[in-house]
Amino acid sequence: MAGIKYRTSGNKYTEAMSNRKRIAIIGVGLIGGSIALQLHEKKLSSKLIGVESSSEHAEQALEYELVDEVLELDEAIAEAEVIVLAIPVNKMVHLLPQIMDKVTDQIVMDMGSTKASVIEVLKDHPNRGRFVATHPMWGTEYSGPKSAVRGAFEGKAVIICNPDESDPDALDWVKKMYAKIGMRVVEMEAKAHDLHVAYVSHISHITSFALANTVLEKEKVESAIFEIASAGFESTVRLAKSNPDMWVPIFLQNKDNIIDVLTEHIDQLTRFKESIQGNDPGRLQALIADANKIRRIIK
């Protein structure tokens, strides 16, 4: 967005708001836009600054009043007290060290879906303490500023990784911010985080993408899908509408864990296939009964 600066008019900030923070959000899409809404509504921000590589998204972020202004990255870093990265993880690992080179006492946090690679790229950085690695466990299949959701994070978990590597004041502010927007904080080591999200999030998306491709390949009359698809099918395949620009980097950055999960998942699918192929009701019953044990975790 070189050479472009967008500003809303008439925004005034007073000393009465000095306990709030000037917050820059890099990537005002689904996640960045949704956090912007809650930062404003919970009175955590005195000013919301957007940074966008897409001029269309910059204009939408202002049109939907997600941010007060959109600035170039260097301007936003200089003006902000808190910097939030809500961009694809492949872009984050390249951009984050450049941002950390320019910060002084600002708090920097990310909202990415993988953590080990992000933390690794900063492990020897002199400003490492100003960074807090986070992953709010929320998302939808939609993308862009117009997809931002009010109250999106309320009642959800947020994972903060390697908290002992962050400065106490930075960690404290991030924890309090998440608590104020209604999230419960879970602390976890980055590699453990990436393993767990491979099981509870990443495999769900791969399964949905694969199911959608299977149906589209086998069901040549697409109108029939819309005629007979039930709520069960719609909920299972919903994630297949997710943006590939976001999910391709996630899958590749968490490759080892995802391959492990996929291997187990393919093995489970093979057991179902063999049971049906072999006309074995007893084995099918056992497989489904085992799956029913998920009720202990998900009500």
Side-chain angles (χ1 to χ4, degrees), residues 7 10 22 38 42 46 71 104 110 128 187 206 249 290:
R7 290 185 185 272
R22 297 186 304 277
Q38 290 199 259
K42 299 297 183 180
S46 62
L71 299 178
T104 52
D110 83 306
R128 169 64 182 89
E187 295 185 356
I206 292 175
D290 284 344

Side-chain angles (χ1 to χ4, degrees), residues 21-24 80-85 99-100 103-110 129-132 166-175 177:
K21 299 286 190 185
R22 297 186 304 277
I23 302 174
E81 297 169 279
V82 176
I83 300 164
V84 180
L85 283 87
I99 293 171
M100 299 307 294
V103 303
T104 52
D105 58 351
Q106 296 100 318
I107 298 167
V108 182
M109 56 175 281
D110 83 306
R130 304 314 299 162
F131 175 68
V132 183
S166 301
D167 291 343
D169 68 301
L171 181 63
D172 183 62
W173 187 88
V174 171
K175 283 184 173 181
M177 179 274 289

Side-chain angles (χ1 to χ4, degrees), residues 185-255:
V185 174
V186 178
E187 295 185 356
M188 193 175 291
E189 193 273 331
K191 290 183 179 178
H193 164 275
D194 287 1
L195 173 62
H196 291 309
V197 295
Y199 276 92
V200 302
S201 173
H202 301 170
I203 190 63
S204 301
H205 283 80
I206 292 175
T207 301
S208 189
F209 291 134
L211 177 59
N213 285 339
T214 300
V215 172
L216 291 170
E217 178 65 27
K218 292 296 184 180
E219 182 55 87
K220 299 302 182 183
V221 183
E222 292 187 14
S223 60
I225 299 175
F226 300 107
E227 292 293 336
I228 67 173
S230 66
F233 175 80
E234 289 177 2
S235 64
T236 304
V237 83
R238 172 182 64 84
L239 296 176
K241 296 183 284 185
S242 300
N243 188 345
D245 290 340
M246 173 179 163
W247 282 98
V248 168
I250 290 172
F251 293 155
L252 295 181
Q253 288 219 7
N254 204 20
K255 177 173 63 176

